[in-house]
Amino acid sequence: MTNFNWNATAFFERLTASNKLAQQEHFAFLRVSGLEGLEEALHTLQRQTAFVAVSDIAQGYTELNNTPHTRRVKTIFICMRHALDNMIARQQCMDTMRELFRQFMSVLIQEKVRVEREHIYLDPRISFNEIPQYFFSGCACAYFQVATDVYTDLHFNNEEWNTDMGISC
């Protein structure tokens, strides 16, 4: 049996490109590598006013049981630039990002049903985390994480090893 995966990057890139609010607020789509990559991406806010970024790294684990599976957790960042030291403008950005998150979730709930047919299970609990104002001046940021569980083929194959592992199956 094959290991299955869900392409969160392509999914959120498609959502960003087709969402009316994202287009109205000029959200660009970026790929980053974790929080360090996000810090580098924040420099693009000199040219862009807002972005949605998906991290290309995932946290997770493999569970060794009768139905082995791997959990992958992808992080999605949403950031908007606002006037420096203007808490009203920051609040408006946060409100926009919260609404964009809600709209993304309205599609993700449909995607959840679709990918379950491929034996990919999205964790139904998705938290929205706002990054404190001191993270980056003049920029409102938030993130959420999407966890997927997929079947993992852990069938032992002696042909994958240079020596006899002495394991009988």
Side-chain angles (χ1 to χ4, degrees), residues 111-129:
E111 179 75 351
K112 180 180 184 304
V113 172
R114 187 192 71 76
V115 299
E116 283 179 358
R117 287 184 232 132
E118 299 175 37
H119 305 287
I120 299 170
Y121 302 96
L122 299 177
D123 190 324
R125 186 183 323 173
I126 300 171
S127 61
F128 183 79
N129 303 285

Side-chain angles (χ1 to χ4, degrees):
M1 184 169 275
T2 308
N3 294 333
F4 298 98
N5 290 300
W6 177 65
N7 189 337
T9 303
F11 178 77
F12 285 102
E13 183 173 20
R14 195 169 56 252
L15 289 187
T16 304
S18 61
N19 179 268
K20 289 179 181 180
L21 178 60
Q23 295 309 299
Q24 173 189 320
E25 297 295 334
H26 307 288
F27 276 88
F29 182 81
L30 303 172
R31 291 170 177 83
V32 297
S33 288
L35 192 54
E36 293 79 23
L38 175 64
E39 290 179 25
E40 291 174 20
L42 288 172
H43 296 292
T44 66
L45 287 175
Q46 294 172 3
R47 296 180 309 276
Q48 298 288 144
T49 57
F51 65 79
V52 172
V54 175
S55 178
D56 64 359
I57 59 173
Q59 299 172 334
Y61 60 84
T62 298
E63 191 162 313
L64 305 175
N65 58 25
N66 290 338
T67 55
H69 64 275
T70 299
R71 172 163 277 212
R72 293 280 182 256
V73 181
K74 295 296 279 188
T75 302
I76 299 88
F77 299 97
I78 304 174
C79 298
M80 289 186 79
R81 187 175 66 199
H82 60 79
L84 191 63
D85 296 327
N86 183 335
M87 293 305 289
I88 294 171
R90 183 179 194 290
Q91 185 60 49
Q92 290 170 339
C93 287
M94 294 305 297
D95 291 343
T96 298
M97 293 186 314
R98 289 178 192 121
E99 178 57 20
L100 185 61
F101 171 75
R102 187 202 66 75
Q103 291 180 23
F104 279 7
M105 293 304 103
S106 74
V107 178
L108 188 63
I109 197 167
Q110 296 170 40
E111 179 75 351
K112 180 180 184 304
V113 172
R114 187 192 71 76
V115 299
E116 283 179 358
R117 287 184 232 132
E118 299 175 37
H119 305 287
I120 299 170
Y121 302 96
L122 299 177
D123 190 324
R125 186 183 323 173
I126 300 171
S127 61
F128 183 79
N129 303 285
E130 298 173 0
I131 299 175
Q133 73 182 41
Y134 57 83
F135 175 71
F136 194 82
S137 295
C139 182
C141 295
Y143 69 93
F144 58 97
Q145 295 178 308
V146 177
T148 59
D149 291 315
V150 297
Y151 169 79
T152 304
D153 184 357
L154 296 180
H155 178 257
F156 178 79
N157 182 350
N158 204 36
E159 294 177 14
E160 297 173 339
W161 301 90
N162 289 327
T163 61
D164 182 10
M165 296 301 292
I167 299 173
S168 60
C169 296

